[in-house]
Amino acid sequence: MRPLLPSLLMALSTLLLPADEPAATATPAHTPAWLENAVFYQIYPQTYRDSNGDGIGDLRGIIEKLPYLHELGVTALWLSPCYDSPFGDAGYDVADFYKVAPRYGTNDDLRALFAEAKKVGIRVMLDLVAGHTSNQCEWFRQSQRHERNPYTDWYIWNDNVWDWFTPGLQLVVGGAERAANYVPNFFHFQPALNYGFAQPDPKAPWQQPITAPGPQAVRAELKKIMRFWFDLGAAGFRVDMAGSLVKNDPDGKATAALWAEFRAWMNTEYPDRAMVSEWSQPQIAIPNGFHMDFLLPFAKPGYKALFRPDGAAVPIFDRSGKNSIRTFLDEFEPLYTATRGQGFIAIPSGNHDTVPRLGNGRDPRDLAVAMAFLLTMPGVPFIYYGDELGLRALDGLPSKEGGYGRTGCRTPMQWDASANAGFSTASAAALYLPVDPAADRPNVAAELAYPDSALRATQQLIALRKAHPSLAASGDFQVLVAEKDRWPFVFRRAKGDEVIVVALNPTDQAVTATLPAAVVAQSLVPLAGTSDTFRREGDTWLVTLPPVSYTVVRVAE
Ligand code: NOJ
Ligand code: CA
């Protein structure tokens, strides 16, 4: 092999650029400008930082850690639900949408978090559990009563307690005062709010149309909840099960129309706030009002396969190289094309529902390659707390608050080498969930002190993304090399005059690829990762990546 050129400014004469260069995209209309450079960080409030030693994380604990989040470089937080709740589903069973759960603090603490975060340039998004409440919510207590009252039609009740089956819907049978059964949205204690039916069954008059008074009242209440938290300082919402609202709604059209209406309202009254949907159907969610939609491991294998084994298949980001980025791109590319210029696809490193964690089975180098992918792709990246360290999900934990198999990815953040990894001063037995007992468990303090840590790599990649317009959310994206069953993955990002090329190799073998036909006379400036990776051979350009590596270069005039 030819000796590699010296790093820094590699005086390369040409770089191969695709002939069919896409038209430049801009930030979509009515989209808050801050989304363009946003790097989100999801906090699971119960396990981030416990400020008062009761074993459960809280809002004051998050405020304490704002300097860390600022140093990491993230620009926005998403807090999983922090509202009053019996915590049958870890807070996704809301009892009072207008009140912070006492275990996390008070509404004033949340207001203080918004204000303190703002001082360091961080916005805070809340979780909007729009589709259901807890069965302990006052609205449901009223709704289940025998006497008609203002809440009677706020949930979906059939009209005969002896009717136990209805096509396409589940029912929770018995237990209410009224002689009827209700439709749950998730667990049995999470009754679905009544947004009506897109196509009510004419033989089941209890299936109300969207325009009926009950569904209209629920819709108005949802807006009231959003306004309440916007006015207190929330930057927006992650919307839980965003596609679940209207029932019997083929293709989600009526639910989408509801969100489009909410977006029009936000555009006028709260134009700097944003919503990201848990829908994983960006082609529906984005044109209908969501600023962002998550890719999630729901249906297609693409996102699901990125970092986690899927059945017998190894993850795409795996040293074996047995899976390739094609698996992901086959899902991603059509969705990207369908939504480009309208909103952003959000690729999360994981969340509180996904096991194992990014950190399971990956060392700091593997994590750096995964982060290089997440932080250079178009759209808006979301980092699940602890993934920046390589925090590992624990196996075999008993279910906590309806976590079941998800419980292992919800364990405490690991801050330092002190007791409970610095999460809490409570006794280990009193913690919400155990801290990873492994002797080599990662922690923030150790990784900040170690230049080659996953945390340092994440921090550098976040800074890189924020410094380069072409790496921002709406920068053009074009695949240069992505072959089935082969690495590397090479792609191009561009905005204005800036062009950046990223190449990734998560495998334990060196890989080489030939880039498409040459275009412009230019030079390459290494920005991050391994340098000296591009070289010319006759009329073609080759990129060669050592095992487990990535490279980011800017194409300079
Ligand atoms: C999705 C949330 O992410 C999950 O944790 C929750 O259990 C369900 N929605 C029900 O709200
Ligand atoms: Ca606490």
Side-chain angles (χ1 to χ4, degrees):
M1 198 192 283
R2 226 175 260 204
L4 294 175
L5 295 171
S7 60
L8 278 175
L9 196 87
M10 292 186 291
L12 302 179
S13 59
T14 55
L15 174 77
L16 312 183
L17 291 179
D20 55 339
E21 202 172 317
T25 46
T27 306
H30 299 294
T31 295
W34 61 269
L35 280 185
E36 194 51 46
N37 284 310
V39 177
F40 272 84
Y41 186 88
Q42 182 192 352
I43 288 184
Y44 204 60
Q46 40 275 66
T47 46
Y48 201 59
R49 162 72 187 151
D50 171 21
S51 72
N52 63 353
D54 65 357
I56 301 187
D58 46 58
L59 297 174
R60 288 280 154 194
I62 299 171
I63 293 174
E64 236 179 71
K65 295 301 181 185
L66 285 170
Y68 165 71
L69 294 163
H70 180 56
E71 193 183 352
L72 178 60
V74 298
T75 64
L77 307 179
W78 152 32
L79 260 53
S80 276
C82 57
Y83 317 105
D84 206 8
S85 165
F87 293 101
D89 184 15
Y92 283 93
D93 47 334
V94 177
D96 184 345
F97 280 107
Y98 298 97
K99 185 179 169 215
V100 164
R103 74 186 200 182
Y104 297 137
T106 63
N107 285 15
D108 280 342
D109 291 329
L110 188 49
R111 194 200 310 263
L113 172 59
F114 294 147
E116 293 303 308
K118 190 173 177 191
K119 288 185 192 158
V120 291
I122 294 177
R123 289 177 165 81
V124 182
M125 207 175 237
L126 300 179
D127 208 314
L128 188 65
V129 190
H132 50 271
T133 68
S134 158
N135 61 359
Q136 305 302 305
C137 177
E138 188 53 29
W139 309 339
F140 186 75
R141 288 185 205 274
Q142 296 298 326
S143 190
Q144 63 84 44
R145 289 178 54 201
H146 172 74
E147 301 81 24
R148 253 200 101 71
N149 63 67
Y151 298 96
T152 298
D153 293 332
W154 278 41
Y155 297 85
I156 307 171
W157 295 92
N158 73 1
D159 51 11
N160 182 351
V161 73
W162 307 115
D163 275 353
W164 290 14
F165 304 101
T166 191
L169 288 173
Q170 279 184 293
L171 288 171
V172 174
V173 171
E177 271 182 30
R178 64 196 267 185
N181 301 315
Y182 67 85
V183 173
N185 219 31
F186 199 68
F187 291 135
H188 73 90
F189 50 77
Q190 289 160 306
L193 282 161
N194 184 13
Y195 292 90
F197 285 69
Q199 297 175 0
D201 177 352
K203 291 196 276 320
W206 54 269
Q207 298 189 2
Q208 302 178 350
I210 296 162
T211 49
Q216 287 299 311
V218 169
R219 206 182 260 241
E221 188 70 30
L222 185 64
K223 198 177 271 185
K224 198 172 142 202
I225 295 165
M226 292 172 72
R227 187 188 290 284
F228 179 82
W229 293 112
F230 284 157
D231 290 347
L232 218 78
F237 291 99
R238 173 269 190 183
V239 180
D240 186 75
M241 296 173 64
S244 75
L245 306 195
V246 178
K247 304 303 182 201
N248 197 5
D249 182 19
D251 305 324
K253 286 214 174 86
T255 300
L258 179 153
W259 290 119
E261 180 195 311
F262 274 64
R263 172 65 177 272
W265 164 68
M266 282 176 69
N267 285 347
T268 316
E269 293 199 32
Y270 297 97
D272 62 337
R273 318 301 166 100
M275 289 195 293
V276 55
S277 43
E278 186 202 28
W279 200 330
S280 209
Q281 302 259 25
Q283 77 287 9
I284 301 176
I286 290 176
N288 285 291
F290 281 96
H291 303 80
M292 304 168 270
D293 183 37
F294 281 119
L295 284 194
L296 292 165
F298 289 168
K300 299 221 179 106
Y303 173 76
K304 196 174 183 174
L306 273 179
F307 308 121
R308 296 166 183 88
D310 183 15
V314 299
I316 293 168
F317 281 81
D318 188 79
R319 288 206 173 193
S320 71
K322 283 195 179 138
N323 206 336
S324 68
I325 199 70
R326 262 284 131 231
T327 312
F328 171 76
L329 292 173
D330 286 348
E331 174 180 358
F332 179 79
E333 282 185 300
L335 296 174
Y336 174 71
T337 308
T339 56
R340 197 162 153 263
Q342 301 174 70
F344 303 124
I345 292 176
I347 308 177
S349 65
N351 67 28
H352 60 289
D353 297 329
T354 55
V355 281
R357 266 181 177 265
L358 188 69
N360 289 82
R362 292 193 177 85
D363 77 8
R365 286 168 65 209
D366 302 307
L367 288 166
V369 179
M371 284 294 177
F373 166 76
L374 287 164
L375 293 165
T376 59
M377 284 289 284
V380 179
F382 276 69
I383 298 171
Y384 183 45
Y385 82 97
D387 283 352
E388 75 277 25
L389 301 178
L391 200 87
R392 298 183 281 247
L394 301 186
D395 248 351
L397 290 180
S399 178
K400 178 78 175 179
E401 297 187 343
Y404 300 101
R406 309 172 292 182
T407 304
C409 69
R410 300 173 174 186
T411 62
M413 178 66 171
Q414 294 158 192
W415 295 103
D416 55 37
S418 69
N420 301 327
F423 161 64
S424 168
T425 55
S427 69
L431 299 185
Y432 177 84
L433 278 171
V435 176
D436 181 355
D440 68 342
R441 70 184 176 211
N443 72 66
V444 169
E447 293 204 19
L448 283 176
Y450 176 53
D452 291 329
S453 64
L455 174 52
R456 285 294 187 196
T458 306
Q459 188 184 37
Q460 282 155 18
L461 286 158
I462 292 174
L464 179 79
R465 182 178 179 99
K466 284 159 56 178
H468 292 281
S470 55
L471 294 179
S474 73
D476 289 336
F477 167 73
Q478 190 155 29
V479 173
L480 300 180
V481 180
E483 287 177 48
K484 194 164 158 41
D485 303 324
R486 283 202 58 199
W487 288 88
F489 172 34
V490 189
F491 58 96
R492 175 182 180 275
R493 302 291 317 277
K495 181 117 191 175
D497 292 340
E498 188 188 57
V499 176
I500 283 180
V501 174
V502 180
L504 304 168
N505 174 24
T507 79
D508 59 9
Q509 304 293 313
V511 294
T512 297
T514 306
L515 297 184
V519 190
V520 226
Q522 278 163 337
S523 59
L524 297 184
V525 184
L527 297 178
T530 309
S531 41
D532 304 332
T533 45
F534 290 88
R535 72 197 158 90
R536 186 172 183 164
E537 231 169 52
D539 276 347
T540 53
W541 277 96
L542 296 180
V543 57
T544 302
L545 289 167
V548 197
S549 70
Y550 68 91
T551 187
V552 183
V553 295
R554 184 164 61 81
V555 181
E557 290 298 333

